[in-house]
Amino acid sequence: MDLDFTSAEEAFRAEARAWLRAHVPAAPLPSLETQEGFAAHRVWEAQLAADRWSVVSWPEEYGGRGADIVRWLVFEEEYYAAGAPGRVGQNGISLLAPTLFDHGTHEQRARVLPAMATGEVVWAQAWSEPEAGSDLASLTSRAVRTDGGWLLSGQKTWSSRAAFADRAFGLFRSEPDTPKPHQGLTYLMFDLRAPGVTVRPIGRLDGKPAFAELFLDDVFVPDEDVIGEPGQGWRVAMSTAGNERGLTLRSPAASSPPPTASSTSGGRRAVHRSCGTRWPTP
């Protein structure tokens, strides 16, 4: 087996490295956990997307390059080595997007993914509740059927990116009388600026709101924003959780010093050592 990079893969690395060298900001952007920094990181996402570097593994129709796992990890290595900004859209790109590829409809992917790739719409994760953290199945936030959709009520907490994000995805109890807690849950997307939504930032010791609480009071969500089948949200959520565990790949060298020229040319063996999860196939 040949474990060296192909000439096409090396050309891809050179293209990525050159683009990053030309575009990565000379000075670090403000923290994305501030309003100013969040806006600056949106601009960076738009720059990436303009030349199809935002989501290289996605199909071209959604703004990607259709890169396979080797090219994707090559890009991640180069991105980290270049000292490029953190990804403000990571919740959407790394969690929601793979879930939509696995469980969403073509209409949902066409509607949601392009704006996610450009940073126009940034997503918050809305899973945890005051009494449902690691025991997610004990959640009590409700989704009640109404004409054309659902009414969401309840509270979510420790919602990442929610202080400044645009939309959120989460799990809600739509069938309260099921025999087991992980049954009767529905996975929905919703607008953080919709009537009935209150966002309360949670300040850290440094005052920066890395998370937020969400209070939902009969928030209307149309049927087209349900992912998967109503009542089958746990299955969809486990798909998202699998991709969340795979976030250690973002970047492959995330827990190591920035790679040198020699460490980024270690061939496919080095790349595959970085792979700790399955490759999500669109």
Side-chain angles (χ1 to χ4, degrees):
M1 178 184 293
D2 185 359
L3 295 178
D4 290 330
F5 289 113
T6 66
S7 58
E9 290 161 355
E10 292 290 9
F12 180 83
R13 181 188 295 280
E15 182 186 1
R17 184 176 293 176
W19 190 93
L20 290 163
R21 185 181 297 121
H23 291 85
V24 169
L29 298 180
S31 170
L32 58 78
E33 291 164 0
T34 65
Q35 189 166 11
E36 176 192 10
F38 207 91
H41 281 77
R42 280 189 197 264
V43 173
W44 170 246
E45 293 291 332
Q47 284 185 269
L48 286 167
D51 289 326
R52 294 183 177 268
W53 290 113
S54 174
V55 285
V56 296
S57 65
W58 290 9
E60 293 183 9
E61 64 184 298
Y62 302 122
R65 289 175 172 244
D68 62 12
I69 188 169
V70 173
R71 286 178 172 81
W72 177 62
L73 287 168
V74 163
F75 176 72
E76 292 297 307
E77 284 189 328
E78 293 300 324
Y79 193 92
Y80 180 77
R87 302 298 300 274
V88 71
Q90 183 171 311
N91 280 337
I93 292 169
S94 299
L95 300 180
L96 181 58
T99 303
L100 289 172
F101 283 131
D102 286 345
H103 301 281
T105 65
H106 177 76
E107 184 278 332
Q108 287 174 330
R109 291 189 288 270
R111 172 166 53 91
V112 171
L113 295 181
M116 181 191 295
T118 63
E120 179 183 351
V121 176
V122 176
W123 290 81
Q125 185 178 12
W127 281 20
S128 296
E129 299 183 3
E131 302 299 327
S134 57
D135 182 17
L136 182 62
S138 65
L139 63 86
T140 59
S141 292
R142 303 181 307 279
V144 177
R145 275 285 195 186
T146 190
D147 290 342
W150 303 79
L151 293 176
L152 307 185
S153 298
Q155 180 183 353
K156 299 290 184 178
T157 192
W158 302 116
S159 182
S160 56
R161 300 285 196 265
F164 307 113
D166 306 293
R167 304 198 73 200
F169 56 91
L171 205 56
F172 295 83
R173 191 163 301 283
S174 54
E175 301 170 25
D177 298 323
T178 55
K180 296 182 179 180
H182 64 274
Q183 297 173 340
L185 303 174
T186 298
Y187 199 121
L188 296 111
M189 302 178 284
F190 59 97
D191 193 333
L192 289 173
R193 296 178 177 82
V197 177
T198 299
V199 179
R200 182 181 297 169
I202 300 174
R204 302 183 312 195
L205 290 177
D206 63 4
K208 296 175 182 176
F211 301 92
E213 294 178 288
L214 306 177
F215 298 89
L216 311 174
D217 184 11
D218 286 341
V219 178
F220 177 75
V221 175
D223 283 323
E224 54 263 33
D225 280 344
V226 173
I227 302 178
E229 294 296 323
Q232 300 298 313
W234 187 257
R235 175 172 175 266
V236 182
M238 292 304 95
S239 174
T240 306
N243 288 295
E244 184 171 32
R245 287 191 293 272
L247 278 176
T248 53
L249 291 176
R250 238 239 71 80
S251 161
S255 60
S256 306
T260 62
S262 60
S263 67
T264 57
S265 58
R268 288 168 172 264
R269 181 182 290 108
V271 166
H272 285 290
R273 279 200 304 268
S274 302
C275 300
T277 188
R278 72 174 180 85
W279 177 243
T281 303

